[in-house]
Amino acid sequence: MTKPNIHYADLKDSYLFFGIAQKVKKYSEEHPNEKILRLGIGDVSLPLAETVIAALTQGVKDQAEKSSFHGYMPECGAPFLRATIAEFYRKRGVDISDDEVFVSSGASDELGDILDLFDKENSALVIEPAYPAYVDANVIAGRKIIRFAASYDNGFTPLPDESAAADIIYICSPNNPTGAVFTKEKLKKWVDFANAHGSVILFDAAYEAFIEDDDIPHSIFEIDGAKTCAIEICSLSKTAGFTGTRLGYTVIPKSLSRAGMNFNAMWVRNRTTKTNGVSYIIQKGGAAVFTDQGQKEIKENIAYYKENAKILMQVLDECNIKYTGGKNAPYIWLKCPNGLDSWAFFDLLLERIQVVGTPGEGFGKVGEGFFRFSTFGSREDTVEAAKKLKLLFSKGE
Ligand code: MLT
């Protein structure tokens, strides 16, 4: 008889954002006249940049002509996009070659797929609170998970100690959910730790485009020594509004090897077996993001979300509610008022003012007592939510 993967039984009943969507759907069905204000999942509300749309449109036209038609795309990514991304890194002072860049269908897909590179016996260190897919993907694989707590006191960017010794180490900066960012000095400590222990860091850089402080690293490869211990996973979802279009990229340095096996070569082998590449049309649109005009337009969209962040932060400041994030990241991570637990606060906001956020507990037990607002909503929703939050908090609720 078929033996199922028994590790599914170790997962929570539903994935965090799926569970929240179900709760909100039920509330909406029971209260059809209430307008829901969505500050929950980090899904963008602005359309793609004009330059990207023009490139996507050209991609469609190319597919209509025999002379420019593309069938299967190269499994590791179109050469034109790999070269564009590598050049983007080099312009930022990080020396990456084209064949160290792998095009993916998005960071969340890749964060799961990349685990194919690691033995099942490897342990995985998750700095919590954390994006829940890190834990879930390793639970499904039956891997041992070591939870390493970040806290308000260490700015949610802890430094390694011996209890962090693990084979795979997840670091997300700017961080989802706390919005905290690792400085170069702090990241260097993790890089040195990983090299000393023979670990591999999976660096989730999905939110790097939101960094506004000059001294915060956008890439782990800005840190000396990272090329022998890190894989960087990036996404155009939040950078350029591709949540529904799907495109990302991963950097695996050729100098990353363990036990005589090279991770870049292994990933080529994996991709050539497991994918037929990302759609030509989408890659064509993605390349436009890295042009000067594309960068200008995506930065305008990011500025819009940052304005949303300011609107929410102002209310929290006025109501003396402690929070992190909102500056170099599109998430605001706040302490639930009046000592409420995070799901109680979720229910309160939904029922009283129809604002949806994400309970901190969903990002790990250490997230209990905290709550996350996404700044990716529409301006109208954000302004209305801010007004309602202010009224609610000023009543002491
Ligand atoms: C989030 O809200 O944490 C993210 O949008 C989820 C994701 O990127 O998959």
Side-chain angles (χ1 to χ4, degrees):
M1 196 172 75
T2 304
K3 229 174 140 188
N5 179 348
I6 52 162
H7 302 299
Y8 278 79
D10 301 329
L11 291 167
K12 284 186 176 174
D13 282 351
S14 66
Y15 183 62
L16 176 63
F17 296 107
F18 182 77
I20 291 175
Q22 299 300 104
K23 257 181 172 258
V24 174
K25 183 165 174 269
K26 182 165 178 287
Y27 179 87
S28 287
E29 282 163 5
E30 288 166 4
H31 304 84
N33 298 324
E34 300 283 18
K35 182 180 178 221
I36 306 289
L37 303 169
R38 296 177 193 276
L39 310 182
I41 191 165
D43 196 4
V44 293
S45 55
L46 291 176
L48 294 170
E50 264 178 45
T51 305
V52 172
I53 293 294
L56 288 168
T57 308
Q58 183 58 50
V60 173
K61 286 185 182 152
D62 290 350
Q63 292 298 70
E65 299 293 331
K66 201 165 184 206
S67 58
S68 53
F69 173 77
H70 289 76
Y72 285 132
M73 294 302 289
E75 298 85 348
C76 299
F80 67 80
L81 184 54
R82 299 179 86 184
T84 299
I85 294 169
E87 177 61 18
F88 182 73
Y89 270 84
R90 288 194 291 269
K91 274 196 203 149
R92 281 182 167 173
V94 176
D95 190 20
I96 291 290
S97 63
D98 300 4
D99 52 2
E100 291 179 310
V101 176
F102 294 84
V103 175
S104 76
S105 54
S108 48
D109 316 25
E110 193 81 339
L111 280 160
D113 293 349
I114 203 87
L115 294 176
D116 276 4
L117 292 176
F118 301 94
D119 190 276
K120 283 212 165 46
E121 298 303 316
N122 279 174
S123 55
L125 182 91
V126 179
I127 302 174
E128 288 189 327
Y131 179 48
Y134 305 158
V135 167
D136 285 6
N138 283 287
V139 168
I140 289 171
R143 237 176 234 111
K144 179 180 168 200
I145 296 166
I146 302 170
R147 295 168 192 265
F148 193 69
S151 68
Y152 198 88
D153 296 334
N154 57 36
F156 293 104
T157 52
L159 291 176
D161 59 37
E162 280 315 305
S163 69
D167 303 304
I168 305 166
I169 297 174
Y170 286 86
I171 298 180
C172 176
S173 179
N175 188 262
N176 178 14
T178 66
V181 279
F182 278 86
T183 59
K184 283 193 172 136
E185 295 69 32
K186 282 195 164 185
L187 218 41
K188 174 74 175 143
K189 295 254 191 287
W190 280 101
V191 164
D192 290 347
F193 182 81
N195 276 321
H197 288 79
S199 320
V200 170
I201 296 175
L202 293 181
F203 188 73
D204 181 350
Y207 301 97
E208 62 79 18
F210 288 78
I211 294 174
E212 57 186 53
D213 291 345
D214 290 341
D215 50 349
I216 299 296
H218 287 251
S219 162
I220 194 164
F221 300 117
E222 290 175 46
I223 310 299
D224 275 350
K227 283 190 177 174
T228 53
C229 70
I231 291 176
E232 179 156 290
I233 296 179
C234 305
S235 165
L236 293 191
S237 286
K238 319 297 158 80
T239 304
F242 273 58
T243 52
T245 307
R246 309 306 305 150
L247 192 64
Y249 53 96
T250 298
V251 177
I252 309 182
K254 285 195 245 168
S255 45
L256 180 64
S257 298
R258 293 288 180 269
M261 296 189 73
N262 182 270
F263 283 84
N264 182 292
M266 286 161 71
W267 199 232
V268 172
R269 187 67 182 82
N270 181 292
R271 294 293 82 184
T272 48
T273 304
K274 288 200 167 182
T275 83
N276 277 328
V278 174
S279 138
Y280 164 72
I281 297 166
I282 304 299
Q283 293 195 68
K284 181 97 181 148
V289 169
F290 298 92
T291 61
D292 289 346
Q293 182 60 20
Q295 286 293 301
K296 181 175 167 284
E297 291 173 18
I298 64 155
K299 281 182 183 144
E300 283 163 10
N301 285 4
I302 289 173
Y304 174 96
Y305 298 130
K306 282 182 175 284
E307 188 57 34
N308 284 350
K310 281 192 189 141
I311 291 166
L312 291 168
M313 289 193 290
Q314 192 182 338
V315 167
L316 299 176
D317 286 336
E318 285 168 5
C319 300
N320 290 320
I321 293 180
K322 280 188 172 180
Y323 63 90
T324 54
K327 185 163 190 284
N328 292 297
Y331 296 119
I332 298 174
W333 178 251
L334 56 132
K335 255 207 159 343
C336 299
N338 304 321
L340 281 180
D341 78 53
S342 60
W343 283 101
F345 189 53
F346 174 90
D347 289 337
L348 176 85
L349 293 190
L350 180 60
E351 281 156 24
R352 296 286 296 280
I353 57 172
Q354 294 73 52
V355 168
V356 177
T358 309
E361 191 272 341
F363 301 98
K365 282 206 175 66
V366 295
E368 187 50 279
F370 288 89
F371 202 75
R372 192 192 79 174
F373 284 138
S374 152
T375 62
F376 287 114
S378 69
R379 177 63 43 76
E380 302 72 42
D381 277 14
T382 306
V383 168
E384 203 177 333
K387 275 192 199 140
K388 288 184 158 191
L389 284 165
K390 185 158 182 205
L391 208 61
L392 186 81
F393 293 149
S394 58
K395 285 188 201 152
E397 293 181 75

